Amino acid sequence: MKTIILSILIIGLISCSESESATAKKQCCSAPKKQAAAAAAIDTSQSLYSIDASFTNQNNQTLQLRSFSGKPVVMGMIFTHCGYACPKLTADIQSIEKQLGEHKNDVHYLLVSFDVERDDPKQLRAFAKTYGLDENFSLLHGDEDAVRMLSVLLNVQYEKDADGNFSHSNLVSVLDEYGNLVFRKEGLGADHSETVKAIEALLHRKA
């Protein structure tokens, strides 16, 4: 029975380093009671923009999630020292942008870091340059409470290991122009044709 439970916990978590595989074997990624209670108090059936937390982007600008209202948002959670999963998730979102063609500039693309200690604006800016992210992408750094609360609301699980890296689930989430969560796709290298259709439906609704 213990083996079955451990196996279920490990499914959906992708290690970004060999050391993370041991971490993934523990029961993990549940939000601390304080953040979970705060998240439960937010009516996300209306909008994730009700989160009262500030983030800093790669250009060292302070903003809140509601700053991205007015356009659909494609969002993922990553950390920049990740060796495989996060670059792959980033590439998946770049692929979504490319598939949107002439409408790609009508969408915000957000990458929010788990790594509140290392992923400062300078590091996020370097990551954006390394992976060729264009001006449509905003990379966000927040404090532990803000990041954990967002992860709970998006159902993105993560846990920090002894080396400072993270085991985490890999989700691409789509918000409408009001911050409502309307679509979510899990997995790396997934077929995002349905994701693109969901975004196009939002753009058509807005037109």
Side-chain angles (χ1 to χ4, degrees):
M1 178 62 72
K2 290 183 178 179
T3 301
I4 295 174
I5 294 174
L6 288 173
S7 299
I8 293 173
L9 290 171
I10 293 170
I11 292 174
L13 291 174
I14 301 295
S15 268
C16 291
S17 69
E18 292 181 0
S19 62
E20 290 175 349
S21 61
T23 302
K25 294 178 182 178
K26 300 184 296 182
Q27 184 172 357
C28 67
C29 304
S30 59
K33 291 182 179 179
K34 178 181 177 181
Q35 286 87 348
I42 295 175
D43 182 8
T44 55
S45 65
Q46 297 300 315
S47 174
L48 264 69
Y49 295 163
S50 58
I51 297 175
D52 188 19
S54 294
F55 295 86
T56 306
N57 68 10
Q58 72 268 34
N59 298 317
N60 206 29
Q61 298 169 320
T62 301
L63 45 81
Q64 294 180 313
L65 291 180
R66 65 178 62 97
S67 302
F68 300 99
S69 64
K71 291 183 179 181
V73 170
V74 180
M75 182 183 295
M77 297 191 76
I78 65 164
F79 70 105
T80 66
H81 289 77
C82 180
Y84 173 74
C86 300
K88 183 62 178 174
L89 186 67
T90 299
D92 288 346
I93 295 177
Q94 286 178 293
S95 176
I96 291 169
E97 180 190 30
K98 184 177 181 180
Q99 290 178 63
L100 288 170
E102 63 181 8
H103 298 295
K104 69 175 186 177
N105 297 331
D106 298 325
V107 176
H108 293 301
Y109 308 89
L110 305 188
L111 297 174
V112 184
S113 175
F114 305 117
D115 196 338
V116 301
E117 296 180 4
R118 296 180 295 182
D119 281 345
D120 58 17
K122 181 179 179 180
Q123 178 64 24
L124 293 175
R125 192 161 56 250
F127 182 89
K129 182 177 181 181
T130 297
Y131 292 98
L133 303 183
D134 62 30
E135 61 185 11
N136 291 327
F137 277 78
S138 293
L139 285 71
L140 304 183
H141 167 273
D143 64 26
E144 184 64 42
D145 284 351
V147 172
R148 180 62 74 175
M149 182 177 292
L150 180 60
S151 75
V152 170
L153 297 172
L154 292 174
N155 197 28
V156 174
Q157 300 179 349
Y158 72 95
E159 183 182 45
K160 188 175 182 179
D161 67 17
D163 294 329
N165 293 316
F166 296 83
S167 294
H168 58 89
S169 51
N170 296 283
L171 283 169
V172 173
S173 300
V174 177
L175 310 181
D176 69 11
E177 64 269 30
Y178 306 109
N180 301 305
L181 181 61
V182 297
F183 187 85
R184 184 166 55 201
K185 182 78 173 184
E186 185 169 12
L188 298 174
D191 179 0
H192 279 288
S193 57
E194 292 299 318
T195 311
V196 172
K197 287 180 181 178
I199 298 168
E200 289 175 338
L202 292 175
L203 293 173
H204 178 74
R205 183 181 73 181
K206 184 181 175 183

